[in-house]
Short mmCIF file of all heavy atoms in Angstrom, two decimals:
data_model
loop_
_atom_site.label_atom_id
_atom_site.label_comp_id
_atom_site.label_asym_id
_atom_site.label_seq_id
_atom_site.Cartn_x
_atom_site.Cartn_y
_atom_site.Cartn_z
N SER A 14 62.64 122.43 54.35
CA SER A 14 63.46 121.43 55.01
C SER A 14 64.93 121.85 55.03
O SER A 14 65.62 121.71 56.03
CB SER A 14 63.31 120.08 54.30
OG SER A 14 64.16 119.12 54.87
N ARG A 17 65.50 124.59 57.54
CA ARG A 17 65.57 124.08 58.91
C ARG A 17 66.92 123.42 59.19
O ARG A 17 67.50 123.57 60.26
CB ARG A 17 64.43 123.06 59.14
CG ARG A 17 63.06 123.72 59.31
CD ARG A 17 62.04 122.73 59.84
NE ARG A 17 61.80 121.64 58.90
CZ ARG A 17 60.89 121.71 57.92
NH1 ARG A 17 60.15 122.81 57.75
NH2 ARG A 17 60.70 120.69 57.11
N LEU A 27 77.25 127.56 66.39
CA LEU A 27 77.27 128.58 67.45
C LEU A 27 77.59 127.95 68.81
O LEU A 27 78.37 128.49 69.59
CB LEU A 27 75.92 129.31 67.51
CG LEU A 27 75.69 130.40 66.45
CD1 LEU A 27 74.24 130.86 66.48
CD2 LEU A 27 76.63 131.58 66.69
N LYS A 38 88.76 130.73 77.76
CA LYS A 38 88.60 131.78 78.75
C LYS A 38 89.07 131.22 80.09
O LYS A 38 88.39 130.43 80.71
CB LYS A 38 87.14 132.21 78.83
CG LYS A 38 86.91 133.38 79.78
CD LYS A 38 85.42 133.71 79.85
CE LYS A 38 85.17 134.81 80.87
NZ LYS A 38 83.72 135.09 81.00
N LYS A 127 111.24 123.94 88.85
CA LYS A 127 111.63 124.50 90.14
C LYS A 127 112.98 125.20 90.00
O LYS A 127 113.92 124.63 89.44
CB LYS A 127 111.73 123.37 91.18
CG LYS A 127 112.03 123.84 92.60
CD LYS A 127 112.10 122.64 93.52
CE LYS A 127 112.46 123.06 94.93
NZ LYS A 127 112.64 121.90 95.82
N GLY A 129 113.99 127.44 88.04
CA GLY A 129 114.45 127.65 86.66
C GLY A 129 114.71 126.42 85.84
O GLY A 129 115.01 126.52 84.66
N HIS A 168 89.58 109.31 105.34
CA HIS A 168 90.49 110.46 105.37
C HIS A 168 89.73 111.72 105.76
O HIS A 168 88.81 112.16 105.06
CB HIS A 168 91.17 110.63 104.01
CG HIS A 168 91.99 109.44 103.62
ND1 HIS A 168 93.26 109.22 104.11
CD2 HIS A 168 91.72 108.37 102.83
CE1 HIS A 168 93.73 108.09 103.63
NE2 HIS A 168 92.81 107.56 102.84
N GLY A 196 108.49 110.39 109.62
CA GLY A 196 109.00 109.10 109.18
C GLY A 196 108.26 107.91 109.77
O GLY A 196 107.97 106.93 109.08
N GLY A 214 84.01 97.22 108.14
CA GLY A 214 82.66 96.84 108.51
C GLY A 214 82.44 96.77 110.00
O GLY A 214 81.35 97.07 110.50
N LYS A 215 83.50 96.40 110.75
CA LYS A 215 83.38 96.30 112.21
C LYS A 215 83.91 97.55 112.91
O LYS A 215 83.37 97.97 113.95
CB LYS A 215 84.16 95.08 112.72
CG LYS A 215 83.62 93.75 112.21
CD LYS A 215 84.45 92.60 112.76
CE LYS A 215 83.91 91.25 112.25
NZ LYS A 215 84.76 90.13 112.75
N ASP A 229 95.82 123.15 116.35
CA ASP A 229 96.50 123.17 117.65
C ASP A 229 95.53 122.88 118.79
O ASP A 229 95.88 122.20 119.76
CB ASP A 229 97.18 124.53 117.88
CG ASP A 229 98.45 124.66 117.05
OD1 ASP A 229 98.87 123.66 116.44
OD2 ASP A 229 99.03 125.77 117.01
N SER A 236 95.81 115.37 123.51
CA SER A 236 97.21 115.13 123.94
C SER A 236 98.09 114.62 122.81
O SER A 236 98.83 113.65 122.96
CB SER A 236 97.25 114.13 125.11
OG SER A 236 96.51 114.62 126.19
N PHE A 292 134.02 108.58 135.62
CA PHE A 292 133.87 110.00 135.89
C PHE A 292 132.88 110.58 134.88
O PHE A 292 133.08 110.44 133.67
CB PHE A 292 135.22 110.73 135.76
CG PHE A 292 136.21 110.38 136.83
CD1 PHE A 292 137.24 109.48 136.57
CD2 PHE A 292 136.12 110.94 138.10
CE1 PHE A 292 138.16 109.14 137.56
CE2 PHE A 292 137.04 110.61 139.10
CZ PHE A 292 138.05 109.71 138.82
N ALA A 308 146.11 111.34 131.12
CA ALA A 308 145.69 110.29 130.19
C ALA A 308 144.24 109.93 130.50
O ALA A 308 143.95 109.45 131.61
CB ALA A 308 146.59 109.06 130.31
N PRO A 316 121.65 108.74 125.87
CA PRO A 316 120.91 107.81 126.74
C PRO A 316 120.06 106.80 125.96
O PRO A 316 119.87 105.67 126.42
CB PRO A 316 120.02 108.74 127.57
CG PRO A 316 120.70 110.06 127.54
CD PRO A 316 121.35 110.14 126.19
N ALA A 346 136.23 108.28 131.51
CA ALA A 346 135.18 109.28 131.76
C ALA A 346 134.10 109.13 130.70
O ALA A 346 134.31 108.51 129.65
CB ALA A 346 135.77 110.69 131.76
N THR A 367 130.95 107.44 120.77
CA THR A 367 132.23 107.84 120.20
C THR A 367 133.24 107.87 121.35
O THR A 367 133.00 108.53 122.37
CB THR A 367 132.16 109.24 119.56
OG1 THR A 367 131.31 109.19 118.42
CG2 THR A 367 133.55 109.70 119.11
N PRO A 381 137.13 103.56 117.52
CA PRO A 381 135.86 102.85 117.33
C PRO A 381 135.92 101.37 117.70
O PRO A 381 134.89 100.74 117.92
CB PRO A 381 135.60 103.01 115.82
CG PRO A 381 136.95 103.26 115.21
CD PRO A 381 137.72 104.01 116.25
N LYS A 388 139.62 94.98 125.90
CA LYS A 388 140.29 95.83 124.91
C LYS A 388 140.54 97.23 125.46
O LYS A 388 141.56 97.86 125.14
CB LYS A 388 139.43 95.91 123.64
CG LYS A 388 139.49 94.66 122.79
CD LYS A 388 138.85 94.87 121.44
CE LYS A 388 139.03 93.64 120.55
NZ LYS A 388 138.43 93.82 119.20
N MET A 393 144.62 101.14 127.35
CA MET A 393 145.09 102.14 128.31
C MET A 393 146.50 101.83 128.81
O MET A 393 147.28 102.75 129.12
CB MET A 393 144.11 102.24 129.48
CG MET A 393 142.75 102.82 129.11
SD MET A 393 142.85 104.51 128.41
CE MET A 393 143.22 105.46 129.88
N HIS A 394 146.85 100.54 128.86
CA HIS A 394 148.21 100.17 129.27
C HIS A 394 149.21 100.37 128.13
O HIS A 394 150.41 100.52 128.38
CB HIS A 394 148.23 98.71 129.74
CG HIS A 394 147.76 98.56 131.16
ND1 HIS A 394 148.51 98.94 132.25
CD2 HIS A 394 146.58 98.08 131.65
CE1 HIS A 394 147.83 98.69 133.37
NE2 HIS A 394 146.64 98.17 133.02
N SER A 405 136.14 102.95 102.83
CA SER A 405 134.69 102.91 103.04
C SER A 405 133.98 102.53 101.75
O SER A 405 134.52 102.67 100.65
CB SER A 405 134.18 104.26 103.54
OG SER A 405 134.27 105.23 102.50
N THR A 451 125.56 96.31 95.58
CA THR A 451 126.46 96.92 94.60
C THR A 451 126.36 96.22 93.25
O THR A 451 126.35 96.87 92.19
CB THR A 451 127.91 96.88 95.12
OG1 THR A 451 127.97 97.51 96.40
CG2 THR A 451 128.87 97.58 94.17
N ASN A 491 114.34 101.34 101.61
CA ASN A 491 113.11 102.05 101.23
C ASN A 491 113.04 102.19 99.71
O ASN A 491 114.06 102.49 99.07
CB ASN A 491 113.06 103.46 101.84
CG ASN A 491 112.72 103.45 103.30
OD1 ASN A 491 112.47 102.39 103.88
ND2 ASN A 491 112.71 104.60 103.93
N GLY A 513 115.60 91.28 91.32
CA GLY A 513 114.24 90.83 91.02
C GLY A 513 113.20 91.89 91.36
O GLY A 513 112.23 92.08 90.61
#
Side-chain angles (χ1 to χ4, degrees):
S14 176
R17 285 193 295 274
L27 281 170
K38 184 182 176 183
K127 185 180 177 185
H168 299 280
K215 296 180 180 178
D229 285 352
S236 301
F292 291 101
T367 294
K388 284 191 175 181
M393 292 301 286
H394 279 286
S405 70
T451 304
N491 284 358

